[in-house]
Amino acid sequence: MDFIDQIKTIAQRIDKVKDKVINEEATKTAFIIPFIEALGYDIYNPGEVFPEYTADIPVLKNDKVDYAILSEGKPTILIECKCCQDSLDNFKHTAQLHRYFQNTEARFGVLTNGITYRFYTDIDTGHIMDTKPFFEFNLTKFNDSDVNELKKFSKANFDPNTLNDTAQNLLYTKEIKRLVTEQFANPSAELVKFFACQIYNKRMTSNAVEKFTEITKASLKEFINERIAERLKSAMEDSEKIVEDTKETTEEIEKQPLGIENAIVTTEEELEGFYIVKSVLREVLDVSKLQSKDTINYFGINLYGKVNQTVCRLYFNGKRKYISIIDANGKEVKKEIANLDGIYGVAEFLKDRITYLTEGKYISEARKVEAE
C-alpha cells in the first residue's frame, strides 16, 4: 500500500472510532502507532522506536517522552502524545515537549493528539525548541502538498540536515501566508498608503486613509475571487478538451457555490475502487503518479492530478455503478459494473488509456469500451 493510502486509511479510522477513543493510551494504539508505522519505522524494534524514552532531566524525576525515533542509538525525533479529545493549544503540552527537546540530541519534536501533528525544531536558537511549529499535519484535512512534506519525515527520506532548511522555509512561508491573510481581512495603514500613493496624488489625510482602507479591502477580495473564477474556467475548458459529453456536468459545477467541497463525501467504496485501479495499472505505471479528485458527481482518477490526463472516473453515488474511460475517439464512455470486481473487467482498456497518456497512442486504435 502506498504511503498516501496508508495515511488515508488512518484518517478513515479516525472518522469511525474517534468518539470511542477517550484517553491517551487508546489514542496511541488506534492512531499514533499506525501513523509511526506508516512512516516506515519499525514499531516493534526499540532500537528504532523507543516508547517511554527517558530524557536526561533530573528535576523531572522519571518523566518520559512518549516515543523517540532513534538513529544509531541516539534520538532524532521526539513524539509527545495527548488524547485525541485534547487540544494541542494548551501551553503545558508544548512546554513539556520543550523540556525534553532541550535535554536530548533530538533535532525535531512532534506534539500530537493522534489527529493533528505539530512539528518543531530549533530555527531561532540552537538546541532550544521554537515556540511555533514549522509544519502541521491534520489527518482530517490534508492535500497532496501536505503529504509530500510529511513524507520527508519517513524513514526512507529522513535527512536531518536537509530538513533543517526545509523547516525554515516552511516556517517562514507559513508566517508570510498568515500575514497575507491578516492583510486581506484588515489591511494595515502601511499597505493602504502603499497602494494609494500609486494612484492618488493628493495628500493622504485621515479621511483619505479611511476611504482607501475600504477600497483596498474590497479590491483584494475582488482580486482573489477573479483568480478563483479564472482557475475554475481554465479547469473546465481543459476538461472539455478531453471529454465531449461532460458539458452538462461542468456547467452544473460552474453554477455551484465555492463552498461545494463541503458537500463532497469520499466513500470507502470509492477509495477501494481507486486501490483496484492502482493494482490493475501497477505493472505498466509507477502508481505514485496516480492521484484522485472527488467531485459532487464522480470520483476522478488522473495522472499527476491533472484533469486533462484523466485515466477513468467512478460513478458510485447512484443505485447503479459505472466506470468511465476515454475511448480511442476521445469520448467518455460509461461501463456499468455490478460491483468493484467489475473494474478488473476493463483492465485492458485502463492500460490502453495509460499508454495513450504516456506515449500518445492506444495499443489498439480499434479498441473501444462498449457503452451501456
Side-chain angles (χ1 to χ4, degrees):
M1 187 180 295
D2 294 339
F3 178 67
I4 190 170
D5 296 331
Q6 295 180 52
I7 295 300
K8 287 182 177 180
T9 298
I10 300 172
Q12 290 173 351
R13 183 181 304 146
I14 289 173
D15 290 335
K16 293 178 180 178
V17 304
K18 177 185 175 183
D19 293 339
K20 300 177 183 178
V21 179
I22 58 175
N23 58 45
E24 183 179 312
E25 290 306 312
T27 299
K28 292 178 183 177
T29 301
F31 306 145
I32 299 173
I33 291 177
F35 184 85
I36 296 173
E37 189 171 29
L39 288 171
Y41 298 103
D42 186 354
I43 59 174
Y44 303 105
N45 178 7
E48 190 165 294
V49 180
F50 198 108
E52 295 298 305
Y53 184 82
T54 302
D56 188 15
I57 314 174
V59 296
L60 291 181
K61 297 181 178 179
N62 297 321
D63 205 356
K64 303 173 181 178
V65 66
D66 292 295
Y67 297 102
I69 306 298
L70 306 180
S71 176
E72 298 180 355
K74 297 180 180 180
T76 57
I77 305 174
L78 304 180
I79 304 175
E80 180 61 22
C81 308
K82 301 302 171 186
C83 174
C84 65
Q85 307 294 340
D86 293 345
S87 169
L88 297 183
D89 292 332
N90 189 325
F91 173 75
K92 292 182 180 179
H93 300 336
T94 310
Q96 190 175 12
L97 180 60
H98 185 279
R99 293 197 301 270
Y100 298 142
F101 185 94
Q102 188 173 349
N103 288 274
T104 68
E105 298 179 64
R107 300 282 300 276
F108 299 93
V110 180
L111 179 63
T112 181
N113 58 6
I115 299 175
T116 300
Y117 290 77
R118 292 180 177 175
F119 291 75
Y120 297 83
T121 188
D122 54 355
I123 295 173
D124 292 336
T125 306
H127 305 299
I128 297 178
M129 193 181 86
D130 301 327
T131 57
K132 295 180 181 179
F134 65 85
F135 175 55
E136 183 170 308
F137 187 87
N138 189 319
L139 278 162
T140 63
K141 48 182 179 181
F142 58 85
N143 54 39
D144 292 341
S145 177
D146 295 330
V147 173
N148 288 334
E149 294 300 337
L150 178 64
K151 194 180 294 185
K152 295 174 183 178
F153 288 89
S154 66
K155 180 180 178 181
N157 299 301
F158 184 71
D159 182 348
N161 297 320
T162 302
L163 269 174
N164 187 58
D165 291 336
T166 300
Q168 289 188 36
N169 293 338
L170 284 172
L171 179 61
Y172 298 149
T173 300
K174 178 183 176 183
E175 288 302 296
I176 289 175
K177 288 167 68 176
R178 178 185 61 80
L179 291 171
V180 169
T181 301
E182 291 177 357
Q183 292 295 324
F184 268 72
N186 293 292
S188 65
E190 291 77 10
L191 183 65
V192 171
K193 290 178 180 178
F194 170 78
F195 287 123
C197 288
Q198 316 298 317
I199 57 177
Y200 185 72
N201 55 13
K202 298 180 181 179
R203 190 169 67 89
M204 287 298 295
T205 63
S206 59
N207 287 337
V209 171
E210 183 177 351
K211 175 183 177 180
F212 274 99
T213 296
E214 294 306 314
I215 293 175
T216 300
K217 187 184 298 186
S219 299
L220 292 174
K221 288 181 179 179
E222 286 184 19
F223 175 80
I224 290 298
N225 288 335
E226 288 171 0
R227 296 290 83 72
I228 292 174
E230 287 178 3
R231 294 192 66 177
L232 286 174
K233 182 180 179 181
S234 176
M236 291 171 189
E237 289 175 348
D238 287 342
S239 181
E240 288 172 356
K241 291 177 183 178
I242 312 169
V243 189
E244 293 180 2
D245 62 347
T246 57
K247 183 177 180 181
E248 182 177 347
T249 300
T250 54
E251 286 177 348
E252 291 175 357
I253 293 173
E254 187 175 22
K255 294 177 182 178
Q256 297 293 341
L258 294 179
I260 193 173
E261 62 271 10
N262 295 326
I264 298 173
V265 178
T266 300
T267 65
E268 185 171 351
E269 193 173 44
E270 288 171 330
L271 289 174
E272 288 180 5
F274 185 30
Y275 302 151
I276 291 175
V277 171
K278 281 187 172 183
S279 176
V280 167
L281 298 177
R282 193 175 297 276
E283 63 182 274
V284 296
L285 178 75
D286 176 2
V287 293
S288 66
K289 298 176 181 178
L290 290 177
Q291 296 182 21
S292 63
K293 174 64 176 179
D294 203 357
T295 74
I296 199 71
N297 297 297
Y298 58 82
F299 183 92
I301 300 173
N302 313 311
L303 276 179
Y304 310 107
K306 297 180 178 179
V307 294
N308 62 351
Q309 296 199 48
T310 297
V311 176
C312 66
R313 291 172 175 170
L314 307 180
Y315 292 83
F316 287 177
N317 294 329
K319 293 182 179 180
R320 302 169 72 179
K321 295 181 178 63
Y322 298 89
I323 179 172
S324 77
I325 305 174
I326 312 303
D327 70 3
N329 296 321
K331 291 187 65 176
E332 180 189 37
V333 182
K334 292 182 180 179
K335 176 77 174 178
E336 183 176 1
I337 56 176
N339 50 46
L340 290 173
D341 288 341
I343 296 175
Y344 291 105
V346 295
E348 293 306 313
F349 301 107
L350 290 169
K351 293 175 183 177
D352 270 8
R353 181 60 181 161
I354 291 299
T355 302
Y356 175 77
L357 292 174
T358 57
E359 299 179 20
K361 63 180 180 180
Y362 280 98
I363 297 174
S364 171
E365 289 296 334
R367 180 177 287 158
K368 182 177 180 180
V369 182
E370 181 181 355
E372 293 294 327

